[in-house]
Amino acid sequence: TIDLGFAYLGDMITIIDVPGHEKFIRNMVAGAASTHLALIVIAADDGIMPQTLEHLDILTSLGITKGIVALSKIDLVKDLEWIELVEMDIRELLIENKFELISFNKVDSLSGKGIQSLKNNLMNIRPVEFLTNYSSNFRLNVDRVFSKIGFGTVLTGTVNNGRIEVGENIEIFPTKEKAKIRGIQSHGKAVKHINAGDRVALNLKNVKTSDIKRGTVISTPNLLKSSSLIIIYLKMNKNTSWKIKNKQRLRFYFGTLEVLGRVTLCDRMALDAGERENVIVQLETDISVALDDKFIVRTYSP
């Protein structure tokens, strides 16, 4: 997978497939930012890989601390002891990262072994346990936009908080353009309104597709402001091998947006692994965020 993929299971569960390769971490973060629960897929013949560790770090940093494991390709491994060792390693890794394992599933996609059990475990989850509606105001991070003949501009995303109905007005950030919702779909069905946690497609009136992209924020009008200067509470990963230096240029991921910026440390010249501090960030693009939004920081290169 290079970019995000979308599918749904029943009426309540949306599956967002994210890339595994480190070259596409920006797309992985955009997908992870829209999720509430993780389905971690690990190949039985490979076991835990570097990307597994990085993805787990990203998930926990975004506050996603519960999930399901699918140990795939079990048909390729004839040594049952090897599978047991891989499972033990995975369980230990999740415990170390304080990640709650809901179920462990051994699957073979070719024969279908274990797939139905995995689906059942997903369907038995109560979504309400993972949804926190911080505000009654509507807000959504766009992860995809396209034009549909006869409808015009359609954008998709997961509702962060609030509720909105067909016919209501929204504001687009950072352009501050306002538009009316012509139609709403969720899981392939037309609906009249949507709530926090819903996976949706919004059809907007009189908006060009070129005016919206991944990372755009849609919200209740006059709710947010755009700024390139923010204060963040930054916690360095305890496993990282690098440090953040004063005025260093970094990559920031807010919701589905990637943006470059520089940090100003207030009372030190560098921030080492495991350390934390409030820092000032001067971004190269205006963004629209809210208090307590979580984010990811990566080095500029590599």
Side-chain angles (χ1 to χ4, degrees):
T1 301
I2 294 174
D3 205 351
L4 303 178
F6 302 91
Y8 50 86
L9 184 64
D11 293 330
M12 298 297 292
I13 298 173
T14 302
I15 298 171
I16 303 178
D17 179 33
V18 304
H21 199 282
E22 64 179 347
K23 287 184 179 178
F24 307 111
I25 282 290
R26 60 182 294 179
N27 293 340
M28 180 272 168
V29 176
S34 300
T35 60
H36 308 97
L37 183 76
L39 171 57
I40 302 173
V41 184
I42 299 173
D45 55 336
D46 288 331
I48 295 169
M49 299 291 282
Q51 279 70 45
T52 311
L53 303 176
E54 185 165 27
H55 283 210
L56 191 59
D57 280 340
I58 290 170
L59 290 170
T60 53
S61 296
L62 291 173
I64 304 164
T65 57
K66 295 182 181 181
I68 289 175
V69 168
L71 187 64
S72 65
K73 301 184 181 181
I74 58 171
D75 59 309
L76 296 182
V77 180
K78 306 306 178 185
D79 186 350
L80 295 180
E81 287 188 2
W82 171 260
I83 292 180
E84 290 176 2
L85 284 172
V86 171
E87 179 177 351
M88 192 183 305
D89 285 345
I90 294 169
R91 289 181 180 274
E92 288 178 359
L93 175 67
L94 298 182
I95 291 171
E96 287 172 11
N97 285 271
K98 298 179 181 177
F99 190 91
E100 182 181 331
L101 180 62
I102 296 173
S103 71
F104 194 101
N105 304 264
K106 299 173 185 177
V107 302
D108 168 19
S109 300
L110 296 182
S111 69
K113 183 179 179 180
I115 296 296
Q116 189 57 51
S117 175
L118 172 59
K119 284 184 179 180
N120 292 340
N121 287 331
L122 282 167
M123 295 292 285
N124 288 334
I125 292 168
R126 288 168 48 83
V128 69
E129 296 176 10
F130 303 96
L131 301 179
T132 304
N133 200 359
Y134 294 105
S135 168
S136 59
N137 293 305
F138 173 77
R139 187 162 62 113
L140 174 147
N141 297 100
V142 176
D143 52 39
R144 192 168 46 138
V145 60
F146 55 91
S147 181
K148 191 170 183 179
I149 296 173
F151 292 90
T153 298
V154 177
L155 61 89
T156 70
T158 304
V159 181
N160 291 343
N161 45 253
R163 169 192 169 101
I164 204 161
E165 299 181 358
V166 173
E168 287 193 54
N169 293 317
I170 53 92
E171 189 168 5
I172 302 167
F173 291 92
T175 63
K176 299 183 180 177
E177 184 180 356
K178 294 183 180 178
K180 180 172 285 188
I181 297 176
R182 174 186 287 166
I184 304 174
Q185 279 201 355
S186 183
H187 285 208
K189 300 174 184 175
V191 295
K192 295 294 184 184
H193 60 82
I194 46 174
N195 298 291
D198 287 345
R199 179 75 200 167
V200 302
L202 300 181
N203 179 208
L204 302 183
K205 277 186 179 181
N206 303 320
V207 175
K208 296 178 181 177
T209 306
S210 57
D211 292 339
I212 300 177
K213 59 184 178 180
R214 177 176 294 171
T216 297
V217 176
I218 308 295
S219 83
T220 301
N222 307 314
L223 175 67
L224 299 172
K225 291 186 177 180
S226 297
S227 177
S228 60
L229 188 65
I230 61 173
I231 297 173
I232 61 175
Y233 179 57
L234 184 60
K235 297 190 291 184
M236 288 289 284
N237 189 314
K238 65 181 185 298
N239 299 317
T240 189
S241 59
W242 55 278
K243 63 178 69 176
I244 288 182
K245 298 176 182 178
N246 196 33
K247 303 297 183 182
Q248 185 174 348
R249 194 180 189 214
L250 300 165
R251 296 183 185 275
F252 294 84
Y253 300 85
F254 299 97
T256 55
L257 176 69
E258 180 192 54
V259 59
L260 296 171
R262 295 185 185 274
V263 297
T264 299
L265 305 176
C266 298
D267 59 359
R268 62 178 81 187
M269 294 306 294
L271 205 59
D272 292 308
E275 294 184 334
R276 54 188 69 191
E277 185 181 304
N278 290 328
V279 303
I280 300 167
V281 180
Q282 180 66 62
L283 300 166
E284 297 178 16
T285 308
D286 280 356
I287 64 167
S288 298
V289 290
L291 189 67
D292 290 334
D293 278 358
K294 291 182 172 63
F295 57 92
I296 299 293
V297 179
R298 300 184 82 221
T299 52
Y300 176 71
S301 180

